[in-house]
Amino acid sequence: MELGNKNFCLILGCTINPNNIRNLARRDADLRLEDYKVSLKKWFKNSYVKKIVIIENSGHNLSELINISKKFENSKKIEFLSNDLNNNFAPELGKGYGESIILKEAVKNSSLLKESESFVHVSGRYYIKNFSNFINEFTNSQSDIFLNISDNLRYSAANIYAGKKNFLIDYVIPESEKINDSNNYFFENCIASATLRAILDNFKFEIPKTYPIIDGIIGTNNKKYKYNILKKIKLKYFGKLKNYFFTTKKY
């Protein structure tokens, strides 16, 4: 399959030093930096990605990541943005609030996002093994919002999601002001709520048929994502069935 007409930018959010953020088991800065180095090498080699913006929000030195990117500069547009705003909000707001800071930075200062029609947002410590299937689906679709929603429409998977840039600017960013982990309103709830608001304004929504196979270590429990053959088969058909039942008209 060939990529469709959506001009997209991949946003990779990074928090190398999470400091006092709650509900996080993987918090050692050196380990997290290694996670980002491993993941970025894979993203830089991915032929489906032409524009990557890496945004770090804890003020950590990015020289090692920048050095890795240099040999890919002829084949990719790569942009690094950095701030220390993750150190300047109440810890009880949680790591999801830190994600919202990353997105605000992208909207405000990323030249690559400014020149893009659409975006894909992934945690920088994760690589999506079946990204080619996901991005081909998205770029060849008519959707403005491309993500998996569940829990009676109250929760959206945030490890990878995509959409038109104005969905990010006009819906996700405003809704993210409500994120507060201590009140059980998480980043995933924010994405779901933003999606419902946009749908009411006639945005086209689609659930991906591709269920992402994530390569990385889960920050909240410090365990690696595991997928055996049986689970991969289940995920392959689960996404297709969920898309079918969500989009099929009922009479």
Side-chain angles (χ1 to χ4, degrees):
M1 295 177 67
E2 294 184 357
L3 288 180
N5 295 323
K6 288 189 176 72
N7 172 14
F8 77 93
C9 171
L10 176 65
I11 301 172
L12 298 177
C14 303
T15 305
I16 296 174
N17 185 0
N19 292 310
N20 297 318
I21 294 299
R22 297 180 178 182
N23 302 319
L24 194 65
R26 196 168 183 83
R27 58 175 59 253
D28 182 88
D30 291 334
L31 286 178
R32 292 176 67 88
L33 177 59
E34 286 301 313
D35 293 341
Y36 291 121
K37 288 162 68 174
V38 170
S39 174
L40 286 184
K41 287 177 183 177
K42 294 175 182 178
W43 283 118
F44 290 150
K45 293 177 182 178
N46 190 301
S47 61
Y48 288 84
V49 181
K50 303 301 182 185
K51 293 187 288 185
I52 305 176
V53 54
I54 299 104
I55 306 172
E56 209 285 327
N57 68 353
S58 71
H60 199 279
N61 189 306
L62 299 182
S63 58
E64 291 187 59
L65 301 182
I66 293 171
N67 286 337
I68 291 172
S69 73
K70 287 182 178 178
K71 67 178 181 179
F72 299 95
E73 289 177 343
N74 292 331
S75 59
K76 311 280 185 189
K77 288 184 176 181
I78 302 170
E79 180 180 30
F80 285 89
L81 298 175
S82 176
N83 62 58
D84 65 351
L85 297 177
N86 200 68
N87 305 323
N88 298 318
F89 64 84
E92 60 266 21
L93 294 179
K95 58 188 178 68
Y97 194 83
E99 286 291 325
S100 74
I101 290 174
I102 285 168
L103 295 177
K104 290 173 186 175
E105 180 76 18
V107 169
K108 183 179 179 181
N109 292 318
S110 172
S111 59
L112 291 183
L113 183 60
K114 284 181 172 63
E115 69 180 39
S116 302
E117 174 192 276
S118 304
F119 74 96
V120 180
H121 181 206
V122 181
S123 169
R125 294 189 309 105
Y126 295 161
Y127 179 72
I128 309 300
K129 290 185 175 181
N130 55 348
F131 183 75
S132 59
N133 295 334
F134 178 93
I135 200 61
N136 271 312
E137 254 195 87
F138 173 55
T139 57
N140 285 287
S141 74
Q142 299 299 313
S143 60
D144 303 313
I145 309 167
F146 195 69
L147 50 82
N148 188 20
I149 198 166
S150 59
D151 191 21
N152 292 320
L153 307 181
R154 294 178 299 183
Y155 185 96
S156 169
N159 40 40
I160 178 171
Y161 62 98
K164 293 290 186 68
K165 184 169 61 178
N166 55 340
F167 168 61
L168 177 63
I169 294 171
D170 296 332
Y171 296 90
V172 175
I173 297 295
E175 188 66 23
S176 71
E177 296 295 330
K178 303 176 185 177
I179 295 171
N180 188 323
D181 285 11
S182 64
N183 291 335
N184 294 318
Y185 192 78
F186 304 104
F187 187 66
E188 291 82 358
N189 302 122
C190 158
I191 301 299
S193 179
T195 298
L196 296 180
R197 291 176 184 275
I199 290 172
L200 288 174
D201 289 336
N202 295 318
F203 277 58
K204 296 177 182 177
F205 167 68
E206 185 175 344
I207 291 177
K209 299 182 183 70
T210 299
Y211 204 94
I213 305 298
I214 301 170
D215 183 7
I217 297 173
I218 303 167
T220 52
N221 61 18
N222 213 23
K223 295 181 180 179
K224 186 175 178 62
Y225 279 95
K226 293 182 179 179
Y227 303 89
N228 56 33
I229 297 297
L230 181 60
K231 186 172 183 179
K232 287 182 179 179
I233 292 172
K234 287 181 178 179
L235 292 179
K236 178 179 179 181
Y237 291 100
F238 176 75
K240 292 181 179 180
L241 285 171
K242 192 168 185 179
N243 178 282
Y244 173 79
F245 286 117
F246 196 89
T247 57
T248 301
K249 293 181 180 180
K250 307 297 190 298
Y251 297 98

